[in-house]
Amino acid sequence: MEFSDKQKEIRRLLKDRRAIMLAHNYQPAEIQDVADFVDDSLGLSITASQTDAEVIVFCGVHFMAETAAIICPDKTVLLPRLDVGCCLAESVTAAKLLARKAELPGVPVVTYVNSTAAVKAESDICCTSANAVRVVNSLTARQVLMIPDQNLALYTARHTSKDIEIIAWEGWCNVHDGLTVEEVEEWKAARPQALFVAHPECNPEVLDLADAVRSTSGMLKFVHESPVQEFIIGTEKGILHRMRRENPGKHFYSPSKRLICRPMKRITLDDVIAALTETRHRVTVPENIRVKALRAVERMLAVPRD
Ligand code: 13P
Ligand code: SF4
């Protein structure tokens, strides 16, 4: 693939600064194409924990860069823009979590990585959409509080092999939760040969229609390995770029015009150039919070991958 002038400038700056560029699967195509790694939240966290680069330019939403800052305090983690929040992460604060914990004494808290460092710091273990079921299966408790995504909590409750009660937080992602059964059914009727692959942040009625439920990188693996040629994709549209690039000849459809995460789309090539040239915007976490949050993230990373 031929890089544009701005992309060439980014590659030059990355080399000069001994930096790597990480991008989430929902990022704009031109950002994904120039990044060193494009992955889901778990994959990006693992890459951040293993890199020997001095600078990490994180193209994703705020909690993702913050997770890298929790794991890599000695590295400079840069978020090219600050106006890239996640509505799901914003649905819980440390104060609200502490109040709920007081009502549930002794109940461990499983926290989706889509959360702030301050919330992770008050949690027992983190999880992502790729490992939520495995994380819950690794626990010995009979009851857990799972925050902040109620759809992921309900999905995990249905699929855990443990006899465990999962208490869900009332939070959701507006992008995924907004996908409706009617929209999916309409697409399934129009494309009966297509498989429907969904993210666990979708609501349970939509997940009931899915042929596979996966994290974003899990979806990429699924469509690549499947002999089927057509797929309806129940997650943010940005992922279709990688799906099409990696699977020429296969067809991918987005079932709703609303499957767009606006904050994920804000970062531009100019923002990345400015981030690398001016060392902005550095994401840091106060040490007392970072150490506590790291414990929850490390417990998650210790759960074996499939
Ligand atoms: P993944 O970890 O599956 O990439 O999901 C992150 C996310 O924000 C989904 O909306
Ligand atoms: Fe957050 Fe939803 Fe955007 Fe994912 S798609 S980053 S959960 S707002």
Side-chain angles (χ1 to χ4, degrees):
M1 189 202 51
E2 182 70 12
F3 281 150
S4 67
D5 287 349
K6 285 181 185 175
Q7 287 172 320
K8 284 184 194 153
E9 172 72 352
I10 289 171
R11 293 308 318 165
R12 189 187 64 72
L13 286 164
L14 287 166
K15 202 166 165 213
D16 283 359
R17 298 290 315 268
R18 292 178 48 77
I20 60 164
M21 179 171 166
L22 307 184
H24 188 263
N25 288 320
Y26 298 158
Q27 283 289 293
E30 64 276 17
I31 298 284
Q32 293 192 30
D33 290 344
V34 69
D36 293 287
F37 297 94
V38 183
D39 212 335
D40 63 8
S41 307
L42 179 62
L44 294 173
S45 301
I46 292 170
T47 302
S49 71
Q50 292 172 346
T51 181
D52 54 11
E54 289 165 12
V55 177
I56 299 173
V57 186
F58 212 116
C59 296
V61 287
H62 190 272
F63 78 80
M64 294 178 177
E66 210 182 37
T67 305
I70 290 167
I71 298 172
C72 319
D74 301 333
K75 300 196 189 305
T76 301
V77 177
L78 302 177
L79 187 61
R81 291 182 76 105
L82 290 177
D83 56 349
V84 289
C86 161
C87 61
L88 178 57
E90 285 156 15
S91 70
V92 56
T93 61
K96 282 190 200 164
L97 174 56
L98 285 172
R100 189 73 178 113
K101 278 172 67 167
E103 293 167 357
L104 298 166
V107 174
V109 180
V110 179
T111 297
Y112 192 26
V113 284
N114 295 41
S115 54
T116 63
V119 166
K120 289 184 177 78
E122 300 304 332
S123 307
D124 294 273
I125 186 166
C126 286
C127 73
T128 72
S129 58
N131 64 14
V133 174
R134 275 181 284 132
V135 164
V136 167
N137 285 347
S138 75
L139 304 175
T140 52
R142 303 298 300 270
Q143 224 186 9
V144 294
L145 172 62
M146 210 166 159
I147 68 167
D149 188 20
Q150 62 179 18
N151 291 336
L152 182 66
L154 289 169
Y155 174 79
T156 307
R158 279 187 182 186
H159 289 88
T160 176
S161 56
K162 285 282 169 80
D163 180 16
I164 194 165
E165 183 196 354
I166 297 183
I167 303 164
W169 188 266
E170 263 189 60
W172 53 85
C173 160
N174 294 333
V175 179
H176 287 86
D177 193 66
L179 179 62
T180 65
V181 166
E182 292 70 30
E183 286 168 325
V184 176
E185 281 179 339
E186 205 173 299
W187 273 90
K188 281 172 85 89
R191 302 280 170 188
Q193 62 284 27
L195 295 182
F196 173 50
V197 191
H199 194 277
E201 289 176 16
C202 295
N203 64 64
E205 296 74 29
V206 164
L207 293 183
D208 280 345
L209 301 174
D211 296 292
V213 177
R214 297 282 190 281
S215 73
T216 56
S217 286
M219 286 180 173
L220 282 151
K221 187 165 181 280
F222 179 86
V223 300
H224 191 68
E225 290 174 353
S226 170
V228 173
Q229 296 295 305
E230 294 187 50
F231 302 87
I232 302 161
I233 302 299
T235 194
E236 211 273 348
K237 276 191 170 66
I239 199 169
L240 270 66
H241 173 65
R242 234 186 109 183
M243 286 180 170
R244 288 178 176 139
R245 197 187 55 199
E246 293 176 3
N247 301 281
K250 291 191 178 181
H251 300 279
F252 302 96
Y253 313 111
S254 182
S256 166
K257 286 193 171 58
R258 297 184 315 282
L259 280 170
I260 296 179
C261 175
R262 300 279 168 210
M264 277 284 183
K265 299 294 182 255
R266 290 201 180 112
I267 295 175
T268 64
L269 295 174
D270 286 326
D271 292 329
V272 178
I273 291 170
L276 282 161
T277 324
E278 299 163 31
T279 314
R280 77 176 197 204
H281 302 275
R282 187 162 184 188
V283 178
T284 55
V285 179
E287 191 59 11
N288 58 330
I289 293 177
R290 190 192 71 78
V291 170
K292 286 170 73 184
L294 182 62
R295 230 175 7 228
V297 173
E298 280 182 334
R299 274 192 76 187
M300 169 186 81
L301 293 175
V303 175
R305 290 190 100 173
D306 284 336

